[in-house]
Each structure stands twice: as structure tokens, then as C-alpha cells.
Amino acid sequence: MKLDRMDGMKRTDYCGTLTKNDIGREIVVCGWVQRQRDLGGLIFIDLRDRTGIVQLAFDENTEKEIFEKAASIRSEFVVMAKGKVRMRSSVNREIPTGDIEVEVNCLKILGRAETPPFEILDDTGAKEELRLKYRYLDLRRPALQENIITRHKIAKVTRDYFDENGFIEIETPTMIKSTPEGARDYLVPSRVHKGKFFALPQSPQMYKQLLMLSGFDRYIQLARCYRDEDLRADRQPEFTQIDLEMSFVETEDIFAIAEGYMKRLFKEIKGVDIKTPLPRLKYNDAMNLYGSDKPDTRFDMTIKDISEIVKNSGFGVFADTVKNGGTVRAITAKNAAGVYTRKEIDKLTEEAKGIGAKGLAFIRWNDDEPTCSFAKFLTEAEFKAVIEAVGAEKGDVVLIVADKKSVALPVLGALRLTVARRLDIIPDKYNLLWITEFPFFEYNEETGNWDAMHHPFTAPLDECVQYLDTAPEKVYAKAYDLVLNGIELSSGSIRITDPELQDRMFKALGLSAEEAQEKFGFLVNAFKYGAPPHGGMGIGLDRLTMLLTGSDSIRDVIAFPKVANSGELMSGAPAEVDISQLNDLSIAVTEKEE
């Protein structure tokens, strides 16, 4: 049959690229059937590929065999169609190709399809678990395809920009030695070296530093990284990092390169002009103002300190907290009294307790006079001073937490975001900023020790080196984060290259010389052969794509993502393996004792 002898026919155009300029052209398109409409003597097929949809038309002028074949077609069939582009009798303004259609004169069914478990639509309504099980079908949805295509464009802009700025793309190993980097490693058993393991890299940190010692003074890589940690909406066990390192630089040089990249990226991907230099906040200022080291600065509602006002008040919760070294902090939600009833405030109280607060005090100013959960314990002057300090007016709600600083600030930081979302006051824009001067150590109340907040090769600020052995709370790092709309995009630092300072750092972190040599010996030894000053950062490609596409989860910008338990529903990974494979590795699986 001549209708099926179309092996030599090739696609000439993509569905979504056809326009009125193509009217009269004979074209060949391929794709999946979005839907078929049989109106008796008239059949329409919406054909979909990754560029969009075009309508195929079959009418009284269509050959009988072609018409009958069109009548047999169902959703998700794969077809190839040849015909002339013509104007549609009724325009469809919902799609870019809505002015035209293809008058089909040749049709071939390339693949038949069973009824899919859900309809291939952006607003499918199917549960995520079902869509992830059939991810290859889910990926046919236009929104997901657009996300993946945008990810590709971001990667291309990235490579172009860094190439133009003298960076060399170098791949680093994906099976390395296990080293402590904060999260648990994924381990790979060695068949050759019985009882020994490779680890999948949490980052290329040490290798990129070695590349600096090797003389490649500007390195870039779209690096795959792996961390065995609990998942969140913006975290996966395997992810991609735009990893870079530079020699003979200081922090300002790294900032300039990163800001130039962001400016280029936002312009090419979103058509948005990013103003540089980007604003900066020191870590302590970010925590005091926003209760977070990755603050969303698109809206105000900053945290106020009212400790001095209430430290001698009759309200024991406030006074005792300050007396015992704690703090009393507040945020003011403007024009929130109509939304936040007492019942709604009770929900916020439960949220605050869930994060670690003992309770939540409040002022709700809905009537002529504000109502307050603690007003009777304050003098009129104290209450007025509180109102003035937090900038409260009629219509506002004030939320107050009294606790240790390490509790009060993050609790209010979280409530600030909850309230802003509830009030719908977060503008649709992009706010980038640098967070700088992170503390080098973090006090662990359970162990009584000072734990490192960064990897052990992070350099301290020059003026803080004197406190390294005696006052860890005074040591700040040459470390920085790039934050976008309340999400950490990047983390980086200037590295230690002085062997003597590195030894002091290991000791400050509680590592003996033997432990440091065992864990990091190959890098430490390399420093003895001439190490240039260097620093760098890693930008999360998944998170960046998520934000630029307006997605709610990074699962929507990764082709085959994992779910909350780190499994992949489509393939069933992780899975048991054959006993012979375990025997080759000299590994036995044992039951965990309860």
C-alpha cells in the first residue's frame, strides 16, 4: 500500500514552529496525538511534539484509506503526516499555530499506544506518585518539557559565559575516597580491593583545589554531586552543581565573575536586567534582621529587638528571658489583623512551638485599641514603647518570641515567611544578594564543643586568625553564599593555602595530625609544592532552574528525580541484587537488629 510506504519520508518541520508564512508549503511533521476529534465527514488530530501542537485536517478531499486510518487513531499514537499548510476556518487563539492547519495527504502510524494512566496535560490532576511511576509519560507534558529545555539553555549560557572568561571545563572523578564533608557518603564497594570502598563525591572540592595547584587557574564543571541526606522540595540525593574555582584571586574577584554570570543568565533566559553589584549582608545582620542566613528580601517585615524595653517589665516571660541571657524579638505584619484572628494566631503559635519556641506572644490591633496577650503585665509607657519600637499601627499584628537568640531568630524567620505567604505580599521579582562573614564555628550545646560550619579548607578572616585557638566564637570565615528569593543558590569560600595555618585549623577542628593525614593527606601534601591563593563556589543548577522556571520543586526540573525516601518510582531503584554480585564484592546483607 502506497500509504504505508513512507520509509524515505523525513520530517521537515516541528509542529509548533509552523506559521501563516508556511501556507501553501508541503511539509512533514511527526509527533504524538494529543487528541482526535471525529465529526463524521471531518476529522481533526492535534499533533504534539516538544515545540507545540499543530492541527491535522482530514475532510471530503482526503483519500478514503487515509481518512479511515485517521479515524482509527487514538491519543498518544505516534504518527507521521505529510500535507499542505492552509488557513484554518476557525482560528484557535489558545495555541501559537491556531491560524493554520495541515491538509493531510499522507499518514503513517509509527507507534500505537494503550490508554495512558493519566491524560497528558499540564493540568492533569494525577497524583505525583503516579506521574513519577510513569515518568516517561509525565515528561511529555509541555510544562515539564519546557522546564527541561530551559535547563539545557541555562547549561549552554553557563558554558558560553565561563569559556568567554577564560575558564577550562575539566571533569573530576565520580568514584573517590570517602572524606567527611557534612553529609553521609554514598559508598561503592570495590570488587578488586576487598573490603574497601569508593565514595560518590559530595562535591569536587578537593579535586578542584588540586587543579589550582596543577596550574589550571580557572576551572569550571557542571558536576554531579551525591549526598545521602533527607530530601526536601529543593534537595535531591544526586544533583548538579555549576562548580568553579579561580587562582590568584580574592573574594571580590569571585563576586565579580559570579555577578557577571547572573547578569548574563537572567538577561538571556528571562529577559530580566539584574542590577550589579549585588547587595551584601553579613551573616549576623541577616540573622538579626530576617532570622535566616538565606533571607527572602523581596518584602520587609524585619525582626526588631525589644529586649531593652521589656527587661524590667512585670511580664516574667520577657524579663526572665533577658535576665538569663536570652532575647525578646518581634515582627510586625502590616494590615494583617483582618486575616489573623485569634484562632489563626493560635495556629502560628503551634507552628512556633513546632520549630522550638516555648510560646508566642502577640499584639493584634483590629479595633481602636490593640488587644495583647501580655498587656496587663506592662506599664502604659512600656507598652507604648513596644508599639513604637516595632512600628505597629491600627490593622497590624505583632508576633513576639522570647527565648535564646538561637531559637528566637529562626522561629521568627520562619513565621515571617508563613505570614508573608498567607497575606500574599511577596512580589514576583528576583532578589539576589550575598551573605558574607559566616561564623567559622558553631557551638554544639549537646556536646559542649565548637563544631566547624564549613569544610576544613575554608580560610578564616585575616583579623580572626589570632582567636583560632582561644576564642572560637570570634572567628569568622572568608565564606559567602549567594541567595535568590530566600533560597541558597551557591556556597563558596577562599581556601587555606598556608600549611601552618592548615595544621592549626585541623587542630581547632579536633583532628589529630594522623587523622588529618589519613583523611586529607593527598591534598595536604600537595600544598607543600607551591599552592597559589585560590577560592571558588558551587552554584546549584537544579535550584537555579527551579527558580527561573517558577517550579515548586526541583523534581520538576530533573528528568528522572528521586522521591522523599531517595527511591525512583519508575525503575524501582534502589533494588536488591543477585547474591552472586554480593559474593563478588565479599559483601553480605544482614538483618538490622531492632
Side-chain angles (χ1 to χ4, degrees):
M1 292 283 294
K2 69 172 184 177
L3 300 178
D4 288 334
R5 289 201 300 269
M6 301 173 67
D7 295 338
M9 191 166 70
K10 294 183 180 180
R11 176 167 59 182
T12 62
D13 296 85
Y14 281 91
C15 297
T17 63
L18 297 170
T19 69
K20 288 190 290 186
N21 294 332
D22 296 302
I23 290 174
R25 279 184 60 219
E26 186 163 79
I27 55 93
V28 178
V29 289
C30 305
W32 286 261
V33 174
Q34 181 71 31
R35 63 173 177 162
Q36 184 252 41
R37 289 164 289 155
D38 192 336
L39 307 179
L42 191 62
I43 296 175
F44 294 116
I45 290 176
D46 289 343
L47 191 66
R48 181 191 72 241
D49 63 20
R50 66 179 172 89
T51 65
I53 288 176
V54 69
Q55 179 170 281
L56 308 182
F58 307 82
D59 53 29
E60 69 276 2
N61 297 318
T62 307
E63 289 186 24
K64 181 181 178 182
E65 289 173 289
I66 296 176
F67 195 91
E68 290 175 351
K69 186 174 288 189
S72 71
I73 286 174
R74 298 291 178 264
S75 294
E76 299 311 312
F77 274 35
V78 183
V79 304
M80 175 182 280
K82 180 180 179 182
K84 282 190 177 181
V85 180
R86 69 185 186 189
M87 283 293 294
R88 285 175 62 154
S89 57
S90 59
V91 174
N92 180 0
R93 299 299 183 193
E94 299 298 318
I95 56 175
T97 60
D99 291 319
I100 53 97
E101 64 187 10
V102 179
E103 182 183 9
V104 178
N105 55 46
C106 248
L107 179 68
K108 184 173 183 179
I109 297 175
L110 302 177
R112 298 179 182 273
E114 297 179 2
T115 302
F118 54 87
E119 197 171 1
I120 312 300
L121 295 171
D122 284 338
D123 56 350
T124 175
K127 291 184 177 180
E128 186 179 40
E129 291 79 5
L130 180 65
R131 291 190 289 105
L132 289 175
K133 183 178 179 180
Y134 296 93
R135 185 62 166 181
Y136 46 87
L137 297 178
D138 196 32
L139 284 170
R140 293 181 187 177
R141 295 192 297 123
L144 277 188
Q145 291 203 341
E146 185 59 35
N147 287 350
I148 300 301
I149 291 169
T150 299
R151 183 188 178 109
H152 156 74
K153 292 177 180 177
I154 291 171
K156 184 181 184 303
V157 171
T158 301
R159 287 190 164 99
D160 288 347
Y161 172 81
F162 285 104
D163 175 67
E164 292 164 14
N165 282 276
F167 285 76
I168 301 170
E169 184 168 2
I170 305 175
E171 293 182 348
T172 53
T174 53
M175 292 198 301
I176 66 172
K177 181 180 179 180
S178 179
T179 57
E181 288 200 44
R184 288 182 295 272
D185 283 332
Y186 280 104
L187 300 178
V188 180
S190 171
R191 178 185 59 81
V192 177
H193 304 278
K194 304 296 186 184
K196 294 185 178 181
F197 296 81
F198 295 102
L200 300 180
Q202 295 186 32
S203 77
Q205 183 59 48
M206 286 183 285
Y207 284 96
K208 67 180 181 180
Q209 289 191 246
L210 287 168
L211 287 170
M212 295 302 101
L213 274 68
S214 302
F216 297 98
D217 64 322
R218 290 194 168 196
Y219 142 92
I220 182 71
Q221 180 183 191
L222 269 62
R224 297 292 286 168
C225 305
Y226 308 85
R227 295 180 185 176
D228 186 4
E229 57 187 356
D230 295 334
L231 272 63
R232 298 189 305 230
D234 62 349
R235 177 188 290 169
Q236 286 271 296
E238 53 179 325
F239 57 96
T240 305
Q241 186 167 287
I242 302 168
D243 200 50
L244 63 108
E245 196 81 5
M246 303 167 63
S247 292
F248 308 107
V249 294
E250 297 178 345
T251 302
E252 295 297 329
D253 302 301
I254 297 171
F255 281 10
I257 281 291
E259 290 180 1
Y261 168 61
M262 286 296 160
K263 193 174 185 70
R264 168 85 164 266
L265 185 70
F266 274 82
K267 185 64 175 179
E268 292 200 21
I269 300 299
K270 300 295 293 184
V272 173
D273 289 311
I274 297 294
K275 185 179 179 181
T276 56
L278 299 177
R280 305 178 188 184
L281 265 181
K282 294 180 181 179
Y283 171 88
N284 286 338
D285 293 334
M287 292 302 299
N288 285 326
L289 286 171
Y290 300 102
S292 173
D293 60 359
K294 44 184 181 293
D296 191 336
T297 57
R298 289 176 294 174
F299 62 100
D300 195 9
M301 209 188 304
T302 54
I303 298 172
K304 309 295 184 183
D305 188 350
I306 59 172
S307 303
E308 284 297 312
I309 299 172
V310 299
K311 67 179 182 180
N312 296 318
S313 70
F315 189 38
V317 173
F318 289 172
D320 292 345
T321 296
V322 178
K323 182 179 179 181
N324 294 322
T327 187
V328 184
R329 306 284 175 123
I331 56 173
T332 299
K334 306 301 292 183
N335 303 309
V339 173
Y340 277 100
T341 61
R342 178 58 190 267
K343 185 177 181 180
E344 292 284 330
I345 293 174
D346 288 342
K347 292 179 183 178
L348 289 178
T349 302
E350 291 305 310
E351 179 179 342
K353 289 180 178 178
I355 305 170
K358 299 181 183 69
L360 184 68
F362 70 89
I363 301 170
R364 180 172 178 265
W365 198 339
N366 193 44
D367 301 316
D368 291 337
E369 295 296 326
T371 57
C372 177
S373 60
F374 55 88
K376 63 182 179 181
F377 300 105
L378 268 60
T379 66
E380 185 177 340
E382 288 171 336
F383 187 66
K384 183 178 179 181
V386 169
I387 291 291
E388 291 178 354
V390 299
E393 302 171 311
K394 185 176 179 179
D396 298 344
V397 170
V398 182
L399 304 175
I400 305 171
V401 175
D403 214 311
K404 294 178 294 186
K405 192 175 180 180
S406 60
V407 173
L409 292 177
V411 167
L412 285 173
L415 293 181
R416 174 179 178 269
L417 293 174
T418 297
V419 171
R421 295 186 189 109
R422 178 74 170 82
L423 298 177
D424 195 22
I425 60 171
I426 305 177
D428 184 16
K429 63 179 182 177
Y430 297 102
N431 271 25
L432 284 153
L433 78 155
W434 293 103
I435 305 298
T436 65
E437 296 189 20
F438 281 79
F440 210 99
F441 301 98
E442 183 176 34
Y443 185 69
N444 188 323
E445 295 182 1
E446 293 184 6
T447 64
N449 297 324
W450 288 89
D451 298 334
M453 288 185 67
H454 315 276
H455 65 70
F457 306 103
T458 301
L461 293 175
D462 296 340
E463 61 269 26
C464 296
V465 174
Q466 60 182 313
Y467 303 117
L468 200 57
D469 308 314
T470 57
E473 72 278 4
K474 294 182 180 180
V475 182
Y476 290 86
K478 290 182 180 178
Y480 37 82
D481 281 0
L482 182 59
V483 175
L484 173 59
N485 293 356
I487 293 178
E488 177 193 321
L489 272 190
S490 170
S491 185
S493 69
I494 298 295
R495 324 303 186 185
I496 298 172
T497 53
D498 178 2
E500 182 180 341
L501 178 58
Q502 188 65 70
D503 286 342
R504 288 182 64 190
M505 185 58 60
F506 285 144
K507 290 176 184 176
L509 297 175
L511 289 173
S512 67
E514 293 76 16
E515 288 175 311
Q517 185 64 31
E518 179 185 352
K519 297 179 186 299
F520 308 109
F522 64 97
L523 181 57
V524 173
N525 292 339
F527 286 159
K528 300 174 183 178
Y529 295 96
H534 60 276
M537 61 193 298
I539 303 169
L541 176 61
D542 311 287
R543 292 182 181 179
L544 182 59
T545 308
M546 179 185 74
L547 289 163
L548 290 181
T549 57
S551 302
D552 295 325
S553 167
I554 60 172
R555 289 193 293 273
D556 292 335
V557 299
I558 297 173
F560 300 101
K562 304 294 190 293
V563 293
N565 65 2
S566 297
E568 192 213 298
L569 296 179
M570 185 188 69
S571 69
E576 295 179 354
V577 297
D578 190 270
I579 189 66
S580 63
Q581 294 175 271
L582 295 178
N583 290 338
D584 286 343
L585 297 167
S586 298
I587 288 178
V589 177
T590 60
E591 293 292 333
K592 183 178 180 181
E593 295 183 5
E594 296 295 334

